[in-house]
Amino acid sequence: MSCLGSVAVDLSDRLENPGESYQLSGHIDVDGYAVGEKELTLPEGASYDVVFTNAGDGILVTGIVRASVTGECDRCLEPAAFEVAGEIEEYYLFEEPEDPESYEDGFELIGPDRVIDLGDAISDAIVMDTPFVVLCQPDCKGLCPTCGANLNEGDCGCAEAAEQAWVDSDENPFAALKGLKLD
């Protein structure tokens, strides 16, 4: 199911002969999408440029979808923004193949009305180009696990205090040596 909705393209008077191509550009006004539990927004929607090519037994659709995306940083929970530019590649057959296994990447069927819905292909391209970890900046330091302070704004001192507490504790494997006099 498409997370961006339906993008129906009518090819009824186009691409009648093998080798013919048809270019199409468009814009989808959509507020956002979800990847797993991440809710991401598309403040300007998404734009796509595709080329339909009659390959004899079907229509090959290739192109690119671009969008500006905003979400929440996975480390510090502040707003994060990034660009996606996903490749679209889908094959739509005119009729069911004798050996469906020969199409390793899969295929879709074109109905008798010759209308193709690009919604799933565009959604797949955006989702596949969405980073697994969304960051506000490449070197985001995240939140302090002790006090919850945003470490991008400055050091809270918890790490230094925890390190000193460990050095002073009996859990430190070198704790037995701290009273050793070497003079």
Side-chain angles (χ1 to χ4, degrees), residues 40-51:
L40 303 165
T41 59
L42 299 168
E44 301 166 9
S47 298
Y48 60 90
D49 294 305
V50 292
V51 175

Side-chain angles (χ1 to χ4, degrees):
M1 174 103 194
S2 169
C3 62
L4 301 180
S6 178
V7 180
V9 178
D10 186 0
L11 298 176
S12 57
D13 295 334
R14 295 183 176 94
L15 305 175
E16 296 297 325
N17 300 310
E20 289 182 340
S21 292
Y22 169 64
Q23 285 187 304
L24 178 68
S25 296
H27 185 80
I28 303 170
D29 289 320
V30 64
D31 295 332
Y33 64 103
V35 176
E37 294 184 15
K38 292 179 191 174
E39 294 290 328
L40 303 165
T41 59
L42 299 168
E44 301 166 9
S47 298
Y48 60 90
D49 294 305
V50 292
V51 175
F52 299 85
T53 304
N54 185 329
D57 61 345
I59 304 290
L60 176 64
V61 180
T62 56
I64 194 162
V65 59
R66 298 178 194 280
S68 295
V69 183
T70 59
E72 185 178 80
C73 179
D74 287 333
R75 290 187 187 158
C76 70
L77 308 177
E78 294 292 322
F82 58 94
E83 302 290 320
V84 294
E87 290 185 34
I88 300 168
E89 186 173 319
E90 195 72 39
Y91 200 53
Y92 298 87
L93 292 176
F94 294 124
E95 49 191 60
E96 184 78 31
E98 291 178 20
D99 182 18
E101 299 296 321
S102 65
Y103 292 89
E104 294 174 9
D105 293 333
F107 62 89
E108 300 284 330
L109 291 176
I110 299 173
D113 58 356
R114 292 186 50 105
V115 173
I116 293 177
D117 185 4
L118 293 177
D120 286 338
I122 292 172
S123 293
D124 291 347
I126 285 182
V127 169
M128 291 300 291
D129 204 54
T130 299
F132 183 71
V133 177
V134 175
L135 298 176
C136 61
Q137 57 192 19
D139 61 344
C140 178
K141 296 175 183 170
L143 301 176
C144 174
T146 305
C147 70
N150 187 339
L151 298 175
N152 295 314
E153 297 171 358
D155 188 13
C156 63
C158 290
E160 189 176 304
E163 184 177 334
Q164 187 60 44
W166 181 79
V167 168
D168 295 340
S169 77
D170 290 336
E171 293 177 22
N172 181 349
F174 298 103
L177 300 176
K178 68 181 166 185
L180 183 64
K181 301 286 187 206
L182 297 175
D183 355 342

